[in-house]
């Protein structure tokens, strides 16, 4: 045979050998990868499995009576504890409820081992067909794992742990035990956990008494508790209920006749007494949380299982009035502020509004990203023009916004040349709000506000609202936000001067005040009056009415910063937060709204320091009183903080502020003569305050951003915070008789329409504070004996007794 004859056979053999070797190597490689994957998976499993939670807590149903918080008039405002209220044994749960749950959530629950692979396949096909996430594949066991022990973050690590925990639950518990857990402890909206609690929350009846129609409506809630519960959105709950009823019929749980009867049944919503929905009739979340913290400080974790009942000092009517006032004040500011634009803008498919299922699915997904906030509701814009905005809350709830005032709020987003990030158009995701008789588009507020009121005679807190929405963050701005009080602090500066020889009639320079860098030791300080307006001289009374900064600085300069710092501690202020420097005259220290309320109570109650308190008494589960407050009362000589004459004069001047000064709106709207108060606005309008009081009640309102920034150049305490205070007092003071001023205290006289202390009569009191320039003023005011030193230096007159009419040349 020739060499040419052998060649093809040789080539063919080599080729076959090469291919065989390739497949052999590929097989070995794949097997190696598989082995590595198996080893890594085994390692991950070995590391993760021991860290999975112990399941014993899931099935621990020992009765534990929770901590309950009430208002003074016995309205439930909070519950804290580990007890699963209304827990039922598996055999106590009606079959109709079990079948409704299986139909709605997991019809193959008793067939799969924790993961329904057939369900996963159906969901994948459905989602690919619809090009959206229209179906999920979570089983009841997976929901139990997720709801009990895992966070809601969407990460692969969390999903891995969820799968492992699902297998552990299935390996440890029976199917009936898993379903029992699910039905007793799943969250179903309106603070109801478990279907027994939900039945009482939504229908006011025991779970054993529910009809198939009611069971189907309850079974539809877990898909989206905030969206599908019948109180929040009855139409969506009804749509979901019909879906569940159809599933129950198709799976053989209902006959055709039973199905028809259930479809026709009218659903009546009624919350049973003592349920979260029926019991939390007012918004007392900040009060309840603070009461819990205070009790925890005494009993630690024992408070969650011993059945304690905490009765606060808060009045339910006052608390709800405060909540509404804060919320409306924040929304009013949000309306005034420039509209920042929609949350985002979607590429909304044409004609989606004609496909209810697709539109509702899209809105459900948006609700997860942009949840409703009480009455500020998520919607998607279907069309927009300067004359009308049409937005969808659901396929059956289409809102038209045509009110000219409402459209003016978002006008910058509707004009032809609107910036892209501000433009409102089809597909824009916005928030809508029902304002009286019309709808409006309004962005979710970013500003915050707080309000607290207390009884001036003993410091009992009557209301407390620490922010716009407790659920967005439990930070209580009434007790935790240290902010500059601005001009709301000036009455304390003025009060200190009355006891050092100044009077409401003292003439004080309002000319600009300058300290050079050499005088301050750092940089020059050039404070300004609000609005940049100055006057040559003003009486102390006039200056307080007009809230003049230059006058406050000169008063503090005269009295001495260190004396003022000492004096402020009488009101309960922290010395270290009120530095002995001249900017303190403008409220440059820091206070909380609650601390400021306690300080103003000293003015309101005649000069006594009565620390604010919240808890009146606590009872155990048998009703026995185990704690009882013993507040300090006004009139207790040991609680005397300042001279009663100082109180009388300051109250008279602050009633003037509320009648003809920066707070004159108070008198115009409430028509009362027994209210005193002071507005406060800090530099660049970072904080806006109004502090006001009657002889019996003190109220403090604050507004600002959590990360301090300007509210706007035109925003002041009188414009931003005073309306909150007024809306609260309008309710609280209604039908309350006015309290006239008491008699002049001993040692106080009225001469020519103005008040004088007996030791500082006309001719001996300080008559004038002012100099053409401030170049010779010591930076620290002359130390703790400021007025004495300055008088000695500049006039040769000692301050003790002030034997003749004195002019202090600042």
């Amino acid at each position: 045979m020739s060499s040419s004859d052998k060649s093809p056979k040789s080539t063919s053999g080599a080729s076959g050998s090469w291919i065989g070797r390739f497949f052999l190597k590929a097989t070995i490689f794949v097997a190696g990868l598989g082995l590595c994957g198996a080893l890594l998976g085994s390692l991950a499993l070995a590391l993760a499995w021991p860290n999975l939670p112990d399941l014993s807590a899931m099935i621990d149903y020992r009765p534990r009576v929770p901590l309950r918080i009430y208002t003074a008039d016995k309205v439930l405002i909070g519950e804290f504890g580990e007890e699963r209220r209304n827990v039922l044994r598996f055999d106590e749960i009606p079959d109709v409820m079990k079948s409704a749950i299986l139909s709605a959530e997991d019809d193959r629950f008793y067939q799969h081992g924790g993961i329904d692979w057939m369900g996963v396949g159906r969901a994948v096909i459905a989602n690919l067909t619809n090009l959206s996430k229209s179906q999920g594949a979570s089983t009841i066991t997976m929901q139990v794992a997720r709801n009990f022990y895992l966070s809601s973050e969407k990460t692969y690590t969390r999903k891995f742990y969820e799968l492992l925990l699902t297998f552990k639950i299935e390996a440890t518990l029976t199917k009936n035990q898993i379903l029992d857990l699910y039905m007793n402890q799943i969250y179903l909206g309106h603070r109801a956990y478990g279907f027994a609690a939900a039945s009482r929350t939504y229908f006011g009846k025991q779970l054993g008494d529910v009809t198939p129609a009611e069971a189907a409506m309850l079974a539809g809630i877990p898909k989206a508790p905030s969206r599908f519960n019948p109180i929040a959105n009855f139409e969506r709950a009804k749509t979901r209920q019909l879906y569940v009823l159809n599933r129950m019929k198709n799976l053989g749980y209902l006959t055709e006749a039973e199905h028809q009867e259930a479809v026709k049944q009218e659903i009546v919503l009624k919350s049973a007494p003592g349920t979260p929905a029926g019991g939390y009739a007012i918004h007392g979340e900040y009060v309840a949380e603070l009461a819990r913290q205070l009790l925890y400080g005494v009993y630690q974790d024992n408070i969650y299982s011993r059945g304690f009942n905490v009765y606060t000092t808060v009045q339910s009517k006052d608390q709800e009035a405060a909540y509404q006032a804060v919320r409306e004040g924040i929304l009013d500011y949000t309306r005034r502020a420039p509209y920042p634009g929609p949350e985002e803008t979607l590429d909304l498919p044409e004609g989606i509004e004609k496909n209810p299922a697709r539109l509702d699915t899209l809105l459900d997904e948006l609700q997860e990203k942009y949840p409703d906030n009480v009455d500020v509701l998520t919607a998607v814009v279907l069309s927009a023009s300067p004359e009308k905005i049409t937005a969808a809350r659901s396929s059956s709830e289409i809102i038209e916004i045509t009110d000219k005032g409402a459209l003016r709020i978002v006008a910058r987003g509707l004009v032809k040349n609107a910036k892209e990030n501000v433009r409102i158009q089809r597909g824009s995701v916005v928030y809508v709000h029902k304002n009286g008789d019309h709808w409006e588009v309004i962005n979710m507020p970013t500003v915050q506000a707080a309000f607290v009121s207390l009884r001036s005679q003993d410091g009992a807190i009557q209301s407390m609202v620490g922010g716009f929405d407790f659920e967005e963050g439990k930070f209580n701005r009434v007790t935790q936000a240290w902010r500059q009080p601005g001009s709301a602090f000036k009455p304390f500066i003025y009060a200190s001067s009355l006891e050092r020889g100044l009077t409401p009639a003292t003439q004080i320079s309002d000319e600009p005040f300058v300290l050079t860098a050499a005088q301050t030791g750092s940089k020059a300080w050039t404070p300004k009056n609000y609005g940049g307006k100055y006057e040559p001289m003003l009486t102390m009374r006039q200056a307080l009415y007009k809230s003049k900064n230059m006058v406050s600085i000169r008063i503090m300069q005269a009295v001495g910063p260190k004396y003022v710092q000492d004096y402020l501690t009488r009101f309960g202020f922290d010395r270290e937060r009120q530095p002995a420097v001249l900017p303190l005259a403008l409220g440059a220290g820091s206070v909380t709204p609650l601390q400021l309320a306690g300080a103003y109570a000293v003015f309101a109650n005649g000069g006594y320091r009565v620390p604010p308190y919240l808890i009146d008494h606590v009872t155990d589960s048998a009703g026995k009183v185990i704690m009882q407050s013993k507040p300090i009362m006004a009139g207790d000589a040991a609680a005397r903080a300042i001279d009663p004459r100082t109180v009388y004069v300051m109250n008279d001047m602050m009633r003037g502020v509320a009648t003809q000064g920066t707070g004159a709106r108070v008198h115009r709207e409430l028509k009362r003569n027994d209210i005193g108060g002071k507005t406060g606005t800090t530099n660049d309008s970072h904080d806006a305050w109004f502090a006001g009081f009657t002889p019996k009640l003190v109220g403090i309102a604050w507004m600002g951003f959590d990360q301090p920034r300007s509210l706007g150049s035109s925003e002041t305490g009188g414009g931003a915070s005073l309306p909150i205070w007024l809306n609260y007092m309008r309710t609280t003071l209604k039908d309350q008789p006015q309290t006239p001023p008491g008699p002049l205290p001993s040692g106080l006289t009225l001469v020519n329409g103005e008040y004088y202390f007996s030791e500082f009569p006309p001719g001996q009191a300080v008559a004038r504070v002012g100099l053409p320039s401030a170049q010779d003023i010591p930076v620290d005011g002359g130390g703790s004996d400021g007025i004495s030193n300055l008088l000695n230096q500049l006039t040769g007159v000692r301050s003790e007794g002030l034997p003749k009419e004195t002019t202090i040349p600042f």
Side-chain angles (χ1 to χ4, degrees), residues 484-491 493-494 508-514 525-536 538-558 581-588 662 678-685 687 716 769 777 810:
Q484 290 189 344
S487 296
F489 206 66
K490 289 176 181 175
I493 309 298
Y494 280 51
I508 306 170
S509 171
D510 184 43
E511 295 290 349
F513 183 100
V514 179
W525 184 48
T526 311
K528 297 178 174 60
N529 280 339
Y530 180 79
K533 297 180 180 179
Y534 304 88
E535 300 176 55
L538 290 169
T539 66
M540 180 191 288
R541 180 182 293 275
Q542 292 169 334
L544 187 64
Y545 289 2
K546 296 180 179 182
S547 196
K548 291 287 192 171
N549 289 343
M550 301 302 105
V551 171
S552 294
I553 293 170
R554 286 188 168 89
I555 289 175
M556 186 164 179
Q557 183 74 50
V581 293
L582 289 183
L584 185 62
L586 308 184
T662 56
K678 185 68 185 74
T679 55
T681 311
T682 62
N683 263 357
D684 298 322
S685 297
D687 299 272
T716 64
V769 175
I777 300 175
F810 306 109

Side-chain angles (χ1 to χ4, degrees), residues 421-438:
N421 64 320
V422 176
R423 184 186 304 278
I424 299 176
Q425 56 190 306
R426 180 177 174 81
S428 292
V429 180
V430 298
Y431 285 100
V432 295
H433 173 257
K434 189 72 176 289
N435 185 10
D437 60 354
H438 67 268

Side-chain angles (χ1 to χ4, degrees), residues 554 771-777 809-810:
R554 286 188 168 89
L771 271 182
S773 79
Q775 61 184 5
D776 296 323
I777 300 175
F810 306 109

Side-chain angles (χ1 to χ4, degrees), residues 703-769:
M703 182 178 288
F705 291 97
D706 284 339
Q707 296 298 321
R709 59 186 173 91
S710 178
L711 290 165
S713 59
S714 62
E715 295 292 342
T716 64
S721 293
L722 178 54
I724 296 174
W725 190 92
L726 281 171
N727 284 337
Y728 171 80
M729 290 295 177
R730 220 176 259 118
T731 298
T732 307
L733 297 181
K734 186 179 182 182
D735 301 326
Q736 295 293 318
Q738 295 191 48
T739 304
L744 282 179
S746 176
L748 185 67
T749 58
L750 185 64
V751 180
N752 295 326
E754 214 36 289
Y755 297 101
Y756 293 85
F757 285 16
S758 58
E759 61 267 38
F760 303 124
Q764 294 188 29
V766 176
R768 180 184 175 94
V769 175

Side-chain angles (χ1 to χ4, degrees), residues 17-37:
S17 176
W18 180 85
I19 293 173
R21 286 196 303 272
F22 172 79
F23 279 109
L24 177 61
K25 290 180 179 180
T27 301
I28 293 173
F29 179 74
V30 171
L33 281 180
L35 181 60
C36 289

Side-chain angles (χ1 to χ4, degrees), residues 27 51 60 481 588 636 697 767:
T27 301
N51 294 322
D60 181 8
D636 183 347
L697 185 67

Side-chain angles (χ1 to χ4, degrees), residues 346 348 359 362-363 366 378-382 390-392 427-430:
L346 307 173
L348 199 63
L359 181 58
L362 180 145
L363 288 166
L366 283 177
T378 309
V380 64
V381 173
L382 301 179
T390 302
S428 292
V429 180
V430 298

